[in-house]
Amino acid sequence: MSNAVEKAYAEIRDAIHAGRFPPGTHLKEGELAEIIGVSRTPIREALRRLNAEGAVRFMRNHGAFVADWSGDEIKEIFDLRAILEGYAAEQAAVRATPEQIAHLRVLAEEMLTLEATGTADALGRIAEANAEFHRLITQAAGTHRLTTMMAQVIEVPLVLRTFHRYNAEALRRSLRHHMEIVDAFEVRDGAWAGSVMRSHIAAAWHAIEASNRGREPVRKAAE
């Protein structure tokens, strides 16, 4: 049963993150069971897990739906991300192993390379590498309680497919932030790493806000 639940959970989560199930989609147990190749019971358990993470919402007598969020809810999520991920970066900067830091460097450079190629699948691959980058930082911070708290916050922005809201300038700025975070890790400077991470999350929020308003993010005078 546990393997079936994990399979159902992973496939539904990935479909939501990839945008194949956009916000508001009705997630019908029977249809999902047929698509994924499991019974309804693991589907039901997977939907409960996704509900606990904020990616799915249940409506009384109507079933499960991919969560949609108001502007105020999204802003709150990014505020929480800045606090939690800023702290995670501070802790990880002094606790990460040399191997973890090297892996972060590889991921950061991979994202820059993908951005430069401009291929059709570049944004999707950047989003995957970005998710791994942020997960690794949380893991390197070495606190189980933080990991639990982050799981309830970080999944929602991924559903929003943040990179697909960026213009070219905002995307490059985000990728430069990754490189600077790794620079801070390499010299074990937690204050520097936390500061850049908080700026990174703030910039992501402004890119989302600009996209929602149908305008380009305002250029900073220093850029």
Side-chain angles (χ1 to χ4, degrees):
M1 173 62 70
S2 60
N3 288 340
V5 172
E6 288 301 323
K7 175 181 170 66
Y9 167 77
E11 293 201 21
I12 297 169
R13 180 200 60 199
D14 291 349
I16 292 173
H17 290 176
R20 294 193 296 276
F21 295 154
T25 299
H26 188 186
L27 299 171
K28 300 177 182 179
E29 292 180 7
E31 291 180 1
L32 291 171
E34 185 174 346
I35 292 170
I36 297 171
V38 297
S39 70
R40 287 194 177 204
T41 301
I43 294 292
R44 196 170 297 122
E45 180 58 32
L47 292 174
R48 289 195 190 101
R49 285 177 60 181
L50 290 163
N51 172 252
E53 294 174 0
V56 167
R57 290 182 177 174
F58 288 108
M59 293 182 61
R60 187 178 178 85
N61 300 323
H62 289 86
F65 294 80
V66 177
D68 202 354
W69 302 275
S70 68
D72 287 343
E73 286 176 313
I74 297 169
K75 178 61 166 64
E76 182 180 43
I77 287 162
F78 275 82
D79 287 345
L80 290 170
R81 282 191 68 190
I83 294 168
L84 294 174
E85 292 203 70
Y87 177 75
E90 290 172 359
Q91 297 302 306
V94 296
R95 296 179 179 178
T97 66
E99 292 76 18
Q100 287 173 322
I101 295 173
H103 189 188
L104 288 169
R105 174 69 70 186
V106 168
L107 289 168
E109 291 176 349
E110 176 187 347
M111 285 183 270
L112 281 172
T113 300
L114 285 166
E115 189 272 335
T117 66
T119 58
D121 64 342
L123 281 181
R125 292 170 64 190
I126 289 172
E128 291 174 3
N130 176 71
E132 177 62 18
F133 185 90
H134 285 267
R135 276 196 298 268
L136 183 54
I137 288 175
T138 303
Q139 178 184 338
T143 132
H144 176 70
R145 182 169 297 177
L146 178 63
T147 300
T148 302
M149 294 172 69
M150 295 275 280
Q152 297 180 316
V153 174
I154 302 306
E155 295 295 330
V156 173
L158 290 178
V159 172
L160 295 172
R161 304 176 74 203
T162 306
F163 282 117
H164 292 77
R165 307 290 191 96
Y166 284 172
N167 65 9
E169 179 186 349
L171 177 58
R172 284 192 294 270
R173 179 170 57 240
S174 177
L175 301 186
R176 290 197 301 269
H177 284 157
H178 290 154
M179 296 296 291
E180 189 172 357
I181 289 168
V182 180
D183 289 341
F185 276 33
E186 289 178 341
V187 296
R188 302 296 185 176
D189 191 326
W192 181 14
S195 176
V196 178
M197 180 63 82
R198 284 184 284 272
S199 295
H200 180 62
I201 302 302
W205 156 246
H206 286 296
I208 291 284
E209 185 184 35
S211 175
N212 287 342
R213 292 179 180 177
R215 60 174 172 80
E216 295 293 328
V218 177
R219 290 175 180 264
K220 295 182 180 179
E223 293 182 341

Short mmCIF file of all heavy atoms in Angstrom, two decimals, residues 1 4-6 8-9 12 27-30 32-33 36 38-52 56 58 63-64:
data_model
loop_
_atom_site.label_atom_id
_atom_site.label_comp_id
_atom_site.label_asym_id
_atom_site.label_seq_id
_atom_site.Cartn_x
_atom_site.Cartn_y
_atom_site.Cartn_z
N MET A 1 0.82 -1.22 0.00
CA MET A 1 0.00 0.00 0.00
C MET A 1 0.85 1.27 0.00
O MET A 1 0.60 2.21 -0.71
CB MET A 1 -0.95 0.00 1.21
CG MET A 1 -1.74 1.31 1.39
SD MET A 1 -2.81 1.66 0.00
CE MET A 1 -4.03 0.39 0.21
N ALA A 4 2.09 2.25 -3.36
CA ALA A 4 1.02 2.79 -4.19
C ALA A 4 0.69 4.22 -3.80
O ALA A 4 0.44 5.07 -4.67
CB ALA A 4 -0.22 1.90 -4.08
N VAL A 5 0.71 4.49 -2.51
CA VAL A 5 0.44 5.85 -2.03
C VAL A 5 1.54 6.80 -2.51
O VAL A 5 1.26 7.90 -3.00
CB VAL A 5 0.33 5.89 -0.50
CG1 VAL A 5 0.27 7.34 0.00
CG2 VAL A 5 -0.90 5.13 -0.02
N GLU A 6 2.80 6.37 -2.39
CA GLU A 6 3.92 7.20 -2.82
C GLU A 6 3.84 7.48 -4.32
O GLU A 6 4.10 8.60 -4.77
CB GLU A 6 5.25 6.53 -2.48
CG GLU A 6 5.58 6.53 -1.00
CD GLU A 6 5.65 7.92 -0.41
OE1 GLU A 6 6.15 8.85 -1.11
OE2 GLU A 6 5.20 8.11 0.73
N ALA A 8 1.10 7.47 -6.22
CA ALA A 8 -0.03 8.37 -6.47
C ALA A 8 0.32 9.80 -6.06
O ALA A 8 0.07 10.76 -6.79
CB ALA A 8 -1.26 7.88 -5.72
N TYR A 9 0.92 9.92 -4.89
CA TYR A 9 1.30 11.24 -4.37
C TYR A 9 2.27 11.94 -5.32
O TYR A 9 2.08 13.11 -5.70
CB TYR A 9 1.93 11.09 -2.98
CG TYR A 9 2.63 12.32 -2.47
CD1 TYR A 9 1.91 13.39 -1.95
CD2 TYR A 9 4.02 12.40 -2.51
CE1 TYR A 9 2.56 14.52 -1.48
CE2 TYR A 9 4.67 13.54 -2.05
CZ TYR A 9 3.93 14.59 -1.52
OH TYR A 9 4.58 15.71 -1.07
N ILE A 12 0.56 12.89 -8.82
CA ILE A 12 -0.40 14.00 -8.73
C ILE A 12 0.34 15.30 -8.44
O ILE A 12 0.08 16.34 -9.06
CB ILE A 12 -1.46 13.73 -7.65
CG1 ILE A 12 -2.27 12.49 -8.01
CG2 ILE A 12 -2.39 14.94 -7.49
CD1 ILE A 12 -3.17 11.98 -6.89
N LEU A 27 -10.08 17.17 -8.95
CA LEU A 27 -9.28 15.94 -8.96
C LEU A 27 -10.18 14.77 -8.58
O LEU A 27 -10.41 14.49 -7.40
CB LEU A 27 -8.12 16.08 -7.97
CG LEU A 27 -7.13 17.21 -8.28
CD1 LEU A 27 -6.16 17.41 -7.15
CD2 LEU A 27 -6.40 16.94 -9.60
N LYS A 28 -10.70 14.08 -9.57
CA LYS A 28 -11.65 12.99 -9.35
C LYS A 28 -10.91 11.69 -9.07
O LYS A 28 -10.04 11.28 -9.85
CB LYS A 28 -12.56 12.84 -10.56
CG LYS A 28 -13.37 14.10 -10.85
CD LYS A 28 -14.22 13.94 -12.11
CE LYS A 28 -14.99 15.22 -12.41
NZ LYS A 28 -15.80 15.10 -13.66
N GLU A 29 -11.24 11.05 -7.97
CA GLU A 29 -10.52 9.86 -7.53
C GLU A 29 -10.53 8.77 -8.59
O GLU A 29 -9.50 8.14 -8.87
CB GLU A 29 -11.11 9.33 -6.22
CG GLU A 29 -10.87 10.24 -5.04
CD GLU A 29 -11.47 9.67 -3.76
OE1 GLU A 29 -11.96 8.51 -3.79
OE2 GLU A 29 -11.46 10.37 -2.74
N GLY A 30 -11.67 8.52 -9.19
CA GLY A 30 -11.77 7.44 -10.18
C GLY A 30 -10.90 7.68 -11.38
O GLY A 30 -10.20 6.77 -11.86
N LEU A 32 -8.23 9.65 -11.56
CA LEU A 32 -6.83 9.59 -11.17
C LEU A 32 -6.36 8.15 -10.99
O LEU A 32 -5.25 7.79 -11.38
CB LEU A 32 -6.62 10.37 -9.87
CG LEU A 32 -6.76 11.89 -9.98
CD1 LEU A 32 -6.74 12.53 -8.59
CD2 LEU A 32 -5.66 12.49 -10.84
N ALA A 33 -7.22 7.33 -10.40
CA ALA A 33 -6.87 5.92 -10.19
C ALA A 33 -6.61 5.23 -11.52
O ALA A 33 -5.67 4.45 -11.67
CB ALA A 33 -7.98 5.22 -9.43
N ILE A 36 -3.23 6.71 -13.12
CA ILE A 36 -2.00 6.34 -12.41
C ILE A 36 -1.83 4.83 -12.30
O ILE A 36 -0.72 4.32 -12.17
CB ILE A 36 -1.98 7.01 -11.01
CG1 ILE A 36 -1.97 8.54 -11.21
CG2 ILE A 36 -0.79 6.56 -10.18
CD1 ILE A 36 -2.16 9.33 -9.92
N VAL A 38 -3.57 2.74 -9.98
CA VAL A 38 -3.71 2.25 -8.61
C VAL A 38 -5.18 2.29 -8.24
O VAL A 38 -6.00 2.81 -8.99
CB VAL A 38 -2.88 3.11 -7.62
CG1 VAL A 38 -1.40 3.03 -7.94
CG2 VAL A 38 -3.35 4.56 -7.62
N SER A 39 -5.51 1.78 -7.07
CA SER A 39 -6.90 1.82 -6.62
C SER A 39 -7.24 3.19 -6.04
O SER A 39 -6.36 4.05 -5.90
CB SER A 39 -7.15 0.75 -5.56
OG SER A 39 -6.47 1.09 -4.37
N ARG A 40 -8.49 3.39 -5.67
CA ARG A 40 -8.91 4.69 -5.13
C ARG A 40 -8.33 4.97 -3.75
O ARG A 40 -8.13 6.13 -3.39
CB ARG A 40 -10.44 4.74 -5.05
CG ARG A 40 -11.13 4.88 -6.38
CD ARG A 40 -12.58 5.25 -6.18
NE ARG A 40 -13.27 5.45 -7.43
CZ ARG A 40 -14.36 6.20 -7.58
NH1 ARG A 40 -14.86 6.81 -6.52
NH2 ARG A 40 -14.93 6.32 -8.74
N THR A 41 -8.03 3.92 -2.99
CA THR A 41 -7.55 4.13 -1.61
C THR A 41 -6.24 4.90 -1.56
O THR A 41 -6.13 5.90 -0.83
CB THR A 41 -7.43 2.80 -0.87
OG1 THR A 41 -8.71 2.16 -0.86
CG2 THR A 41 -6.96 3.02 0.56
N PRO A 42 -5.20 4.51 -2.31
CA PRO A 42 -3.98 5.32 -2.30
C PRO A 42 -4.17 6.72 -2.89
O PRO A 42 -3.51 7.67 -2.48
CB PRO A 42 -2.98 4.50 -3.12
CG PRO A 42 -3.79 3.50 -3.86
CD PRO A 42 -5.00 3.24 -3.04
N ILE A 43 -5.09 6.84 -3.86
CA ILE A 43 -5.39 8.16 -4.41
C ILE A 43 -5.94 9.06 -3.30
O ILE A 43 -5.52 10.22 -3.13
CB ILE A 43 -6.42 8.08 -5.56
CG1 ILE A 43 -5.83 7.33 -6.77
CG2 ILE A 43 -6.90 9.47 -5.95
CD1 ILE A 43 -4.71 8.06 -7.47
N ARG A 44 -6.84 8.50 -2.51
CA ARG A 44 -7.46 9.27 -1.42
C ARG A 44 -6.41 9.71 -0.41
O ARG A 44 -6.41 10.86 0.05
CB ARG A 44 -8.53 8.40 -0.75
CG ARG A 44 -9.52 9.16 0.12
CD ARG A 44 -10.67 8.26 0.54
NE ARG A 44 -11.43 7.80 -0.61
CZ ARG A 44 -11.63 6.51 -0.92
NH1 ARG A 44 -11.10 5.56 -0.16
NH2 ARG A 44 -12.33 6.19 -1.97
N GLU A 45 -5.48 8.81 -0.08
CA GLU A 45 -4.42 9.14 0.89
C GLU A 45 -3.47 10.19 0.31
O GLU A 45 -3.04 11.11 1.01
CB GLU A 45 -3.64 7.88 1.27
CG GLU A 45 -2.52 8.11 2.27
CD GLU A 45 -3.00 8.72 3.57
OE1 GLU A 45 -4.15 8.45 3.99
OE2 GLU A 45 -2.22 9.48 4.18
N ALA A 46 -3.15 10.06 -0.97
CA ALA A 46 -2.27 11.04 -1.62
C ALA A 46 -2.91 12.42 -1.62
O ALA A 46 -2.24 13.43 -1.37
CB ALA A 46 -1.98 10.60 -3.05
N LEU A 47 -4.20 12.49 -1.87
CA LEU A 47 -4.91 13.77 -1.87
C LEU A 47 -4.92 14.39 -0.47
O LEU A 47 -4.80 15.60 -0.32
CB LEU A 47 -6.33 13.60 -2.40
CG LEU A 47 -6.45 13.26 -3.89
CD1 LEU A 47 -7.90 12.98 -4.26
CD2 LEU A 47 -5.89 14.39 -4.75
N ARG A 48 -5.02 13.53 0.55
CA ARG A 48 -4.96 14.06 1.93
C ARG A 48 -3.61 14.68 2.21
O ARG A 48 -3.51 15.73 2.85
CB ARG A 48 -5.26 12.93 2.94
CG ARG A 48 -6.69 12.45 2.97
CD ARG A 48 -6.95 11.63 4.22
NE ARG A 48 -8.24 10.96 4.16
CZ ARG A 48 -8.42 9.69 3.87
NH1 ARG A 48 -7.37 8.91 3.61
NH2 ARG A 48 -9.62 9.16 3.84
N ARG A 49 -2.55 14.01 1.77
CA ARG A 49 -1.20 14.55 1.97
C ARG A 49 -1.03 15.88 1.25
O ARG A 49 -0.47 16.84 1.79
CB ARG A 49 -0.15 13.55 1.48
CG ARG A 49 0.05 12.38 2.40
CD ARG A 49 1.06 11.38 1.85
NE ARG A 49 2.37 11.97 1.63
CZ ARG A 49 3.41 11.30 1.14
NH1 ARG A 49 3.26 10.02 0.79
NH2 ARG A 49 4.58 11.89 0.99
N LEU A 50 -1.51 15.96 0.03
CA LEU A 50 -1.40 17.19 -0.74
C LEU A 50 -2.25 18.30 -0.13
O LEU A 50 -1.89 19.48 -0.19
CB LEU A 50 -1.80 16.94 -2.19
CG LEU A 50 -0.79 16.09 -2.97
CD1 LEU A 50 -1.42 15.52 -4.24
CD2 LEU A 50 0.45 16.91 -3.32
N ASN A 51 -3.36 17.92 0.48
CA ASN A 51 -4.18 18.89 1.19
C ASN A 51 -3.42 19.46 2.39
O ASN A 51 -3.43 20.67 2.65
CB ASN A 51 -5.49 18.24 1.64
CG ASN A 51 -6.30 19.13 2.56
OD1 ASN A 51 -6.38 18.87 3.76
ND2 ASN A 51 -6.89 20.17 2.03
N ALA A 52 -2.71 18.59 3.12
CA ALA A 52 -1.93 19.04 4.28
C ALA A 52 -0.81 19.99 3.86
O ALA A 52 -0.42 20.88 4.63
CB ALA A 52 -1.35 17.83 5.01
N VAL A 56 -3.76 21.03 -2.44
CA VAL A 56 -5.11 20.55 -2.77
C VAL A 56 -6.06 21.01 -1.68
O VAL A 56 -5.69 21.06 -0.50
CB VAL A 56 -5.13 19.00 -2.87
CG1 VAL A 56 -6.56 18.47 -2.89
CG2 VAL A 56 -4.37 18.55 -4.11
N PHE A 58 -10.17 20.51 -0.18
CA PHE A 58 -11.40 19.72 -0.24
C PHE A 58 -12.60 20.63 -0.07
O PHE A 58 -12.60 21.53 0.78
CB PHE A 58 -11.41 18.67 0.87
CG PHE A 58 -10.45 17.54 0.65
CD1 PHE A 58 -9.29 17.42 1.42
CD2 PHE A 58 -10.68 16.57 -0.31
CE1 PHE A 58 -8.40 16.39 1.22
CE2 PHE A 58 -9.80 15.54 -0.52
CZ PHE A 58 -8.65 15.44 0.25
N GLY A 63 -15.57 17.04 -3.26
CA GLY A 63 -14.30 16.37 -3.48
C GLY A 63 -13.10 17.30 -3.44
O GLY A 63 -13.13 18.36 -2.82
N ALA A 64 -12.02 16.89 -4.12
CA ALA A 64 -10.73 17.58 -4.06
C ALA A 64 -10.51 18.44 -5.30
O ALA A 64 -10.88 18.05 -6.42
CB ALA A 64 -9.60 16.57 -3.93
#
